[in-house]
Amino acid sequence: MLPIAVDAMGGDNAPAAIVAGARRAASEMGIPVLLVGRPEDLVDTGGLEVIEASEVIAMDAEPGSSVRRMRDSSLVRAATAVRDGRASAMVSAGNTGATMASALLRMGRIRGINRPAIAIPVPVPQSTPTTLLDAGANAECRPEWLVEFAQMGCVYARDRFRIERPKVGLLSIGEEAGKGNKFVKECFELLDENTWAKSSGAEWIGNVEGRDVMTDEVDVVVTDGFTGNVTLKTLEGAMSALLSRLLTAIDTDDETRRAGEMLSAPLDSMLAELHPDSTGGALLLGVKGVCVISHGSSSADAMANAIRIAAEMVDVGMVDHLSAAVRQDR
């Protein structure tokens, strides 16, 4: 496998946590890694190869103009490495919009895909995660794009989570076919035609609600990027508040502390299962290369997991599967 190009300068904890995660992926997982960034800022790289990039796109920078103007940025150089065949995938915890723009402009879009989408695995206790897309790439969408999102989500769920026949639902305000605004109703009509589901090997289950996302009732949930991002951030906030309240409750007095000690093993397992670092990040689906977008506050653990996911998606040939899925439905 060609190395995974890692944007060493992207993220709140860059470059230290990013480099540490990259070293862990290389030493513990045997994944070849290529760091991209300013060599003078990258200390203790453990001998990993470095592609020099003199510029850094800030987390709050305007994505499009920054990518076009800052061609020697670590993000653009990482995407270029994939395009030129020097790397097999790119990973970044930096500016999300700029990561998407870099991947799209340098790698290009898969033929037949109108818009790439961000696919995020939402943890489901004691089950496989639910794939939610679009989680923020396209704030406004056309109904036909959601059919493409459904096709891509099926490929991702099958390649990453080994779900042979993913159950696909459309996020709405009710399960009934007539529920939702004009956009959702138009999406439902297109998705309900079933030709895409048969060619994708999927089970179309109709509308689903927000409460279904973290259950095993659905494997892939499609929506527009605005709604998807709000849903994702709401779930993250709710889980964080719940876990915080739980930890506070078991530290109330001596009795609850003893109970907490007895429950420490299952609680640790639950926390690990729900923690964002465990997911490894989101996938940008629809570009001609594997692109993993990690959380801005990614730790070394999160970065190592992101690199692992990138390597796995390269290994299974996810991009080729995405291309085939779109061609088959044409």
Side-chain angles (χ1 to χ4, degrees):
M1 181 186 294
L2 290 170
I4 308 297
V6 176
D7 171 20
M9 311 305 295
D12 300 333
N13 301 316
I18 308 304
V19 173
R23 289 189 58 181
R24 189 175 302 171
S27 62
E28 298 178 8
M29 305 175 189
I31 301 171
V33 177
L34 186 64
L35 297 173
V36 187
R38 295 171 176 161
E40 63 272 20
D41 294 336
L42 305 181
V43 297
D44 199 19
T45 62
L48 296 178
E49 185 181 355
V50 177
I51 292 180
E52 183 173 353
S54 62
E55 299 175 300
V56 178
I57 297 178
M59 296 294 282
D60 59 350
E62 199 286 319
S65 61
S66 297
V67 168
R68 287 189 292 270
R69 188 180 70 256
M70 303 173 71
R71 297 183 180 181
D72 199 41
S73 65
S74 54
L75 263 176
V76 174
R77 289 296 184 195
T80 302
V82 178
R83 182 198 66 185
D84 294 346
R86 189 172 178 181
S88 58
M90 68 175 289
V91 176
S92 178
N95 184 310
T96 298
T99 303
M100 292 189 295
S102 296
L104 185 57
L105 291 174
R106 288 297 184 271
M107 299 179 193
R109 189 172 64 244
I110 291 175
R111 186 175 182 180
I113 297 295
N114 284 288
R115 290 291 189 279
I118 295 177
I120 186 77
V122 178
V124 177
Q126 298 181 328
S127 184
T128 54
T130 297
T131 299
L132 173 69
L133 74 165
D134 180 18
N138 308 280
E140 296 183 4
C141 293
R142 296 179 182 175
E144 57 268 26
W145 297 355
L146 267 71
V147 177
E148 296 173 5
F149 296 170
Q151 292 174 301
M152 293 193 294
C154 287
V155 170
Y156 176 67
R158 188 175 295 114
D159 282 351
R160 181 167 180 186
F161 303 117
R162 305 294 187 266
I163 303 173
E164 287 303 316
R165 192 163 183 258
K167 294 175 289 187
V168 183
L170 171 66
L171 191 60
S172 186
I173 58 172
E175 296 179 355
E176 297 81 6
K179 289 293 183 69
N181 55 21
K182 180 182 177 182
F183 171 75
V184 171
K185 292 176 182 178
E186 290 176 355
C187 291
F188 185 94
E189 290 180 4
L190 288 178
L191 289 163
D192 200 45
E193 289 178 356
N194 281 332
T195 56
W196 70 270
K198 291 178 181 178
S199 63
S200 300
E203 179 184 354
W204 162 242
I205 63 173
N207 285 342
V208 295
E209 299 181 68
R211 64 187 178 189
D212 299 316
V213 176
M214 290 189 69
T215 72
D216 58 5
E217 295 298 318
V218 61
D219 299 310
V220 177
V221 174
V222 293
T223 185
D224 62 274
F226 183 89
T227 304
N229 194 265
V230 171
T231 301
L232 174 63
K233 297 298 174 58
T234 301
L235 290 174
E236 287 179 346
M239 285 192 291
S240 177
L242 178 61
L243 293 174
S244 176
R245 183 67 186 90
L246 175 62
L247 294 175
T248 300
I250 62 175
D251 194 34
T252 304
D253 51 39
D254 291 342
E255 187 175 359
T256 59
R257 292 187 191 98
R258 285 194 296 271
E261 290 175 0
M262 295 177 63
L263 293 171
S264 61
L267 285 176
D268 286 345
S269 176
M270 181 188 72
L271 291 173
E273 187 177 15
L274 297 178
H275 199 285
D277 283 2
S278 301
T279 66
L283 267 289
L284 181 64
L285 304 181
V287 293
K288 291 190 288 187
V290 173
C291 175
V292 178
I293 303 173
S294 296
H295 201 285
S297 60
S298 289
S299 64
D301 285 342
M303 184 51 52
N305 281 326
I307 295 169
R308 173 179 57 81
I309 296 305
E312 288 177 358
M313 294 303 95
V314 171
D315 191 50
V316 299
M318 183 192 69
V319 175
D320 289 338
H321 296 164
L322 291 169
S323 299
V326 176
R327 287 198 305 270
Q328 187 174 354
D329 195 48
R330 291 297 184 268

